[in-house]
């Protein structure tokens, strides 16, 4: 459940970051011919970083909640 929620949050954050950074509504797809290597790889790196941070935040929050509830 938290994975799905995290994915949705990360996807929404990435979309807003990409829109701000590039001025475009949609990030480039790796298979699209209209984007070059640089734009595809930069978008992928940003997306990966955002997903990593969101996952770590959710995992950390869950671990702290379990610790508080069980004392372990």
């Amino acid at each position: 459940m938290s994975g799905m929620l995290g994915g949705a949050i990360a996807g929404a954050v990435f979309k807003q970051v990409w829109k701000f950074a590039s001025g475009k509504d949609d990030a480039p797809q790796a298979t699209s011919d209209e984007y070059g290597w640089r734009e595809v790889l930069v978008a992928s790196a940003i997306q990966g970083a955002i997903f990593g941070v969101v996952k770590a935040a959710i995992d950390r929050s869950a671990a702290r909640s379990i610790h508080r509830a069980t004392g372990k």
Side-chain angles (χ1 to χ4, degrees), residues 10-20 24-27 50:
V13 170
F14 171 68
K15 186 171 183 160
Q16 292 303 311
V17 168
W18 184 257
K19 189 174 184 177
F20 176 78
K24 298 178 182 175
D25 287 334
D26 295 319
I50 290 170

Side-chain angles (χ1 to χ4, degrees), residues 1 5 7 15 18 22 27 31-32 36 38 41 49 53 57 60 63 66 69:
M1 176 74 172
L5 178 61
K15 186 171 183 160
W18 184 257
S22 71
T31 56
S32 176
R38 182 175 180 210
L41 296 179
V53 168
R60 179 69 178 168
I66 291 169

Side-chain angles (χ1 to χ4, degrees), residues 49-61:
I50 290 170
F51 273 83
V53 168
V54 170
K55 182 183 182 320
I58 288 172
D59 289 350
R60 179 69 178 168
S61 177

